[in-house]
Amino acid sequence: WKRLDIHTEQTAHMIAGDGNPAMAFNSGVDLTTYVAHDLGGSFMNGRLVMQVDLCAPLRWVSGGSGRLRAILAGDRFLEGNLTDTSEGCSQWWATGVGFDSGKIAAYRGASGETAGAWETSSATAEPGHWYRFVVTTDLDEEWSGVTVYDMGTEQPAITTKMPAAGTSVATFARLPLRRPMDELGGVSCVVVATRATEFSNTTEENGPRAKLDNLIVSHNPPGLVLSFR
């Protein structure tokens, strides 16, 4: 993982728990922190499927501005402030999901005269609950579909089965990408973005923290009929 900002107040902790590690986040300030991991290649065609488990915290530092997001992005985001921070590297991504203002959210890119924006569902992200986001991105048609499941309060394993079909707590259909693929130049990294999350120490005594676990990104090339992972 590579850190992409200069906000020293933001920290991430690996916590072992009962042997199933997760990543927990802490920030005492209303600033966004990004960390990125490359995907080992740049993908322009086919479909990308991202699955990630996110845990909603007890509270956000500044109320409505708290965020925890997983984003699929391109090289300009991955390079970040290694080049020119004035370029706004945090705008160079394809699709994103997570929590926004205490709600389950996904990004809907611009379409026609409608500007792009984070779209929230009616479902509230319950503190201490793990939510599994399944994001299917069609790189050729340039849209994403998102399904979100409430996995309960016990931290799921990567092998934990999702609830039965039809029991999702939120869905987002055919979301246009944040940037078209010809501008983005391909999807090459996954980014975790956090803002205004808070806990006092590395225990759960002050309530559940913002956490991430079980992040998987797989690629199905164009024309692929059957895929084994």
Side-chain angles (χ1 to χ4, degrees):
W1 289 94
K2 183 173 68 173
R3 188 183 179 117
L4 297 180
D5 71 2
I6 58 173
H7 304 322
T8 57
E9 297 88 347
Q10 183 81 36
T11 59
H13 298 261
M14 292 302 296
I15 52 174
D18 60 356
N20 181 15
M23 186 181 290
F25 301 93
N26 175 45
S27 173
V29 294
D30 193 8
L31 297 169
T32 302
T33 290
Y34 303 97
V35 291
H37 199 294
D38 71 86
L39 297 176
S42 184
F43 303 98
M44 284 287 296
N45 305 104
R47 289 194 174 191
L48 286 173
V49 179
M50 177 174 67
Q51 177 181 299
V52 62
D53 296 336
L54 301 177
C55 182
L58 175 66
R59 60 185 178 272
W60 305 100
V61 172
S62 53
S65 68
R67 300 167 186 165
L68 175 61
R69 297 169 176 170
I71 295 168
L72 291 174
D75 283 345
R76 290 187 66 174
F77 205 135
L78 183 62
E79 292 167 359
N81 57 9
L82 295 179
T83 53
D84 181 3
T85 53
S86 67
E87 287 289 324
C89 69
S90 63
Q91 303 302 311
W92 290 87
W93 48 275
T95 189
V97 296
F99 305 134
D100 193 282
S101 304
K103 298 284 188 178
I104 294 169
Y107 192 86
R108 181 179 293 277
S111 178
E113 296 182 359
T114 303
W118 283 89
E119 183 175 299
T120 56
S121 74
S122 59
T124 299
E126 296 293 336
H129 281 237
W130 285 89
Y131 293 89
R132 178 161 291 176
F133 293 76
V134 181
V135 186
T136 301
T137 302
D138 190 314
L139 301 177
D140 298 292
E141 298 294 329
E142 300 190 343
W143 58 263
S144 289
V146 181
T147 306
V148 188
Y149 300 90
D150 187 340
M151 304 296 287
T153 56
E154 183 175 349
Q155 181 184 347
I158 202 166
T159 54
T160 302
K161 293 183 178 180
M162 286 179 285
T167 60
S168 60
V169 295
T171 58
F172 302 87
R174 297 190 73 87
L175 303 169
L177 301 186
R178 173 68 176 81
R179 292 270 185 176
M181 293 305 295
D182 59 347
E183 289 185 14
L184 198 62
V187 172
S188 58
C189 67
V190 59
V191 179
V192 178
T194 62
R195 175 174 177 169
T197 61
E198 180 181 24
F199 62 91
S200 297
N201 50 43
T202 56
T203 73
E204 292 280 0
E205 65 185 30
N206 295 304
R209 293 160 290 169
K211 292 178 288 217
L212 175 147
D213 198 10
N214 304 325
L215 175 59
I216 304 170
V217 179
S218 58
H219 178 238
N220 295 334
L224 183 68
V225 177
L226 186 62
S227 175
F228 294 94
R229 187 177 62 203

